[in-house]
Amino acid sequence: MKTAKKLLDRQARKRRIRARATGTSVKPRLAVFKSLNEIYAQIIDDSAGKTLASTSSLKIKKGSKSERAAEVGKSIAEVAKAAKIENVVFDRGGFPYIGRIKILAEAARAAGLKF
């Protein structure tokens, strides 16, 4: 029951965030999702309904979860720069801005992504 409540609470937070954070072609949305073992990042243009870039920790097998989150942050920033994207809107997907979500965001910022 506790996990079901946590999921419902996260989905409510996600809806509130998505009501305000929408991606455009000028400033797309950086959406982050984390599962128990992996973390995923996508850059999405909501006006066109297209994913412009994506990466995940599935390809990275070494290091802790936090280290892999930092690698995903660097990787998504590099892919975004290759696609000529500098500014994004950060969508944490209803997850608290702590732990792996924060590490990914700070790594993406350090690699040159602005949000």
Side-chain angles (χ1 to χ4, degrees), residues 1-93:
M1 289 303 285
K2 187 176 181 181
T3 56
K5 170 117 174 66
K6 286 174 77 172
L7 178 64
L8 290 174
D9 289 347
R10 186 182 74 78
Q11 288 173 341
R13 285 190 302 271
K14 183 178 179 178
R15 282 192 298 270
R16 283 196 304 268
I17 291 167
R18 288 285 291 119
R20 294 187 310 266
T22 57
T24 63
S25 58
V26 177
K27 195 171 184 180
R29 176 171 56 99
L30 172 59
V32 177
F33 176 77
K34 69 172 185 169
S35 66
L36 184 63
N37 295 314
E38 308 296 338
I39 192 159
Y40 307 85
Q42 295 183 70
I43 296 179
I44 303 166
D45 178 2
D46 289 316
S47 58
K50 292 191 176 185
T51 299
L52 306 174
S54 67
T55 188
S56 72
S57 63
L58 291 171
K59 301 169 190 164
I60 306 164
K61 292 299 175 191
K62 292 188 177 182
S64 66
K65 291 180 190 179
S66 299
E67 291 168 348
R68 292 190 316 212
E71 285 297 318
V72 170
K74 290 178 196 171
S75 175
I76 195 70
E78 291 168 4
V79 172
K81 282 190 173 186
K84 298 180 182 172
I85 299 168
E86 291 185 9
N87 296 318
V88 294
V89 176
F90 188 67
D91 175 8
R92 57 188 173 89

